[in-house]
Amino acid sequence: MGFSAVFANIAILINGFVVTIQLSIIAIVLGTLLGSLLGILRALDFRILSGTIRAYVAVFRGTPLLMQLFFAFFGLPMLGFDVDRAAAAVVALTSYSGAYISEIVYGGIIAVAKDQGDAAKAVGLSFWQMMRFVVLPQAMVVTLAPLVSWYIGVVKDTTVASVIGYTDLLRNATAVVAVTNSPFETYLVTAGFFFLLTVPMGRVVAILEARTARGWQ
Amino acid sequence: MPYGRKTPPAVNLDGRQPIEIVDAVKSFGHITVLRGLSLTVGPGEVVVLIGASGSGKSTLLRCIVGLETLDAGDIRSVGLSVREKHNLRAIRTHVGIVFQQFNLFPHLSAVDNVTLGPRLVLHQSREEARAQGLALLGRVGLADKADSYPLKLSGGQQQRVAIARALAMEPAAILFDEVTSALDPELVGEVLAVMRQLAQDGMTMLVVSHEMKFARDVADRVVFIDEGVIVEEGNPDLIFTEPRDPRTRQFLRRVLEH
């Protein structure tokens, strides 16, 4: 009982922590790639494409992440996909993050786009030159702070995987609770593990927000 | 009357006009801004467009460089029609534009603002472009600000960098869209001085402006636009002293009474 029992089982928590980190990194990288692609495509302003992307965003922002995870884990196999717990978690987190990140990226682009786009076109830049040298560099600065903020959420959202039995930090914490009979102490220590990730990330967000406010000096 | 021209235009136009606007029509929704406007700007000419806000002057300039698309009519820059999309990049290298809000690239230094176009579009090397950029910044009086960032520059300085940026593309003509309207009064003079010098150096210029003294001193031709058509045009002395159309008279009365 108590903290000593929890620390006796610390290896289980550490294993779970490592899995959570891995899942977070994969979801963040893939989600950012997907979201950036969708955000940029949406900025092209082609009617059908924009409409499709907006529908995608509405679906994945309008339904619970946990439900999307169940859909991936239980539903996809019925369509013939061989989906294990890890894959289901990655698919659900990626598609969910992609939707939100596409909004962040799109917002950043249109915040920059109009006048800067005019100026870039005026000196004869092609569309991709304009995006690469003028719009995206500026949009990236604007989106960085909201993005990292979102990433903090992703780290916490990985815990949905525990519901389908994936051995992440939270799942392993519940296992430790079963062994030690000390939920309070166990979850307190678990919170500490999460802080190891979220507190530094929060600091990064604060720095980015300050730099964005300062502008181009 | 304009100063004597020192040098002929640098670009070889092969007999083509820098800017030819033919029956331009442009609407935004229900509002028709350009109603069949025609205007030609010849090599080395300085044409100043005057008129009330909303008369279509800025829209016209934006249409010339393809930032807006015409609904009807045509605009040819150095013979290239703006109605053919594949011409747009070429047109934009022949006709530069300076905006009211400067629109400098804030993440680039002044000289990098000026050299971006030449490097990416004219395929100049970094050294070539920088040398030209520094020379142009010198020409507008900002050689010492080459590595400064736009946010550190005054409005007048930013606008002069914007002019250098337009010049860097070695255009046949430059459009000026109310380039001093967003400036504090004491900064207007430095920008007009650069424009006067450009005119004297033989640059073809199409200028939208409220600066009547500048128009009177520098323009070869003043064109009064009202409700999307040319009402009257001619020699600046004539337009300002003996306008024939009552609408011109009314406009000038309002403007010159400040």
Side-chain angles (χ1 to χ4, degrees), chain A residues 114-127 129 133-135 137-138 214-217, chain B residues 62 67 89 92-93 95 97 99 101 103-108 116-117 120-121 149 151-152 165 169:
Chain A
K114 181 103 198 340
D115 287 347
Q116 289 292 298
D118 281 351
K121 286 186 248 180
V123 293
L125 264 51
S126 71
F127 178 80
Q129 286 174 330
F133 293 99
V134 176
V135 175
Q138 295 181 58
R214 253 202 353 249
W216 302 100
Q217 295 295 338
Chain B
R62 291 175 64 86
L67 292 177
R89 286 187 75 191
R92 289 165 184 165
T93 61
V95 179
I97 182 168
F99 299 97
Q101 300 296 339
N103 292 352
L104 291 183
F105 306 130
H107 58 301
L108 300 177
L116 189 68
L120 291 180
V121 182
Y149 281 78
L151 282 172
K152 288 275 170 58
R165 182 173 66 176
M169 300 302 288

Side-chain angles (χ1 to χ4, degrees), chain B residues 209-226:
Chain B
S209 184
H210 298 303
E211 298 288 333
M212 296 303 161
K213 181 171 187 309
F214 173 84
R216 199 153 177 179
D217 290 344
V218 183
D220 293 310
R221 219 187 336 152
V222 169
V223 175
F224 173 59
I225 292 181
D226 193 38

Side-chain angles (χ1 to χ4, degrees), chain A residues 5 7 16-17 22 35 52 76 82 96 131 134 146 173 177 185 195:
Chain A
F7 285 114
F17 186 50
Q22 290 169 337
T52 312
L76 289 184
D82 190 17
Y96 180 73
M131 291 304 274
V134 176
V177 168
E185 292 89 341
F195 285 143

Side-chain angles (χ1 to χ4, degrees), chain A residues 20-98:
Chain A
T20 290
I21 293 178
Q22 290 169 337
L23 188 53
S24 301
I25 291 177
I26 296 175
I28 286 172
V29 168
L30 292 181
T32 304
L33 286 173
L34 176 63
S36 301
L37 180 65
L38 293 179
I40 293 176
L41 286 178
R42 188 157 158 218
L44 294 177
D45 213 18
F46 297 140
R47 201 168 306 173
I48 298 178
L49 188 57
S50 295
T52 312
I53 295 173
R54 286 197 345 253
Y56 173 91
V57 170
V59 165
F60 285 94
R61 293 207 314 184
T63 52
L65 172 60
L66 191 54
M67 190 212 83
Q68 294 171 27
L69 179 63
F70 288 160
F71 198 90
F73 188 58
F74 299 115
L76 289 184
M78 313 209 80
L79 296 176
F81 295 103
D82 190 17
V83 181
D84 69 352
R85 290 181 170 81
V90 167
V91 166
L93 283 166
T94 299
S95 45
Y96 180 73
S97 280

